[in-house]
Amino acid sequence: MTKWNAGLVGLSGLTLMSVMLIISGCATPLVGRYGENGQTKEEFTRYVEGVFKLQNSMTSEIMAILETDSENNHDDLLLAEQNMQQACGPLNEYASRESEGLNIGFFLSRRVEKSAIDCERAAQKVKALLKH
């Protein structure tokens, strides 16, 4: 029985260590820094909210343009908008789940953290095409 318990303790310790290594490889450092710019949680939250508003605004403007101007070719704009939607997918999923009161989850939060800058860059490209 003692050998079995020793093996169990060793196995559970090894499992715990493996889980910690996996989590530490993909988790935000424990110093409270978020995003690629190492912002505080409050700064990062404001930043992400701004990015979300920007990309929503760009989507709304594109929809308005397409409704009122069907004669011009908007292929570049549509491609940029498609790239923006793809880059901002995690952020949009996060916002949707939050507005519906659903569980966000660690992995979705991490995807938002990793994709926020790409989302902003894509939205800025759309903004430039809209001549803002």
Side-chain angles (χ1 to χ4, degrees), residues 8-10 20-22 24 35 41 52 60 67 74-75 77 79 87 91 96-97 100 106 110 112 118 123:
L8 184 59
V9 169
M20 293 304 291
L21 287 172
I22 290 169
S24 69
K41 185 174 183 176
F52 180 75
S60 295
E67 286 179 6
H74 299 289
D75 289 345
L77 185 58
L79 181 59
L91 179 56
S96 175
R97 293 185 69 78
E100 294 174 10
F106 172 78
R110 185 68 176 137
V112 169
D118 290 337

Side-chain angles (χ1 to χ4, degrees), residues 17 25 63 69 86 110:
M17 186 170 28
M63 290 172 60
D69 185 15
Q86 184 175 5
R110 185 68 176 137

Side-chain angles (χ1 to χ4, degrees), residues 107-118:
F107 292 110
L108 177 56
S109 295
R110 185 68 176 137
R111 284 187 10 238
V112 169
E113 186 178 349
K114 286 183 162 198
S115 66
I117 287 179
D118 290 337

Side-chain angles (χ1 to χ4, degrees), residues 51-83:
V51 170
F52 180 75
K53 289 176 183 177
L54 173 63
Q55 67 98 23
N56 259 348
S57 175
M58 296 301 99
T59 298
S60 295
E61 286 191 42
I62 290 169
M63 290 172 60
I65 288 171
L66 295 176
E67 286 179 6
T68 60
D69 185 15
S70 61
E71 294 181 18
N72 290 316
N73 184 346
H74 299 289
D75 289 345
D76 290 342
L77 185 58
L78 290 173
L79 181 59
E81 196 261 345
Q82 183 180 22
N83 290 337

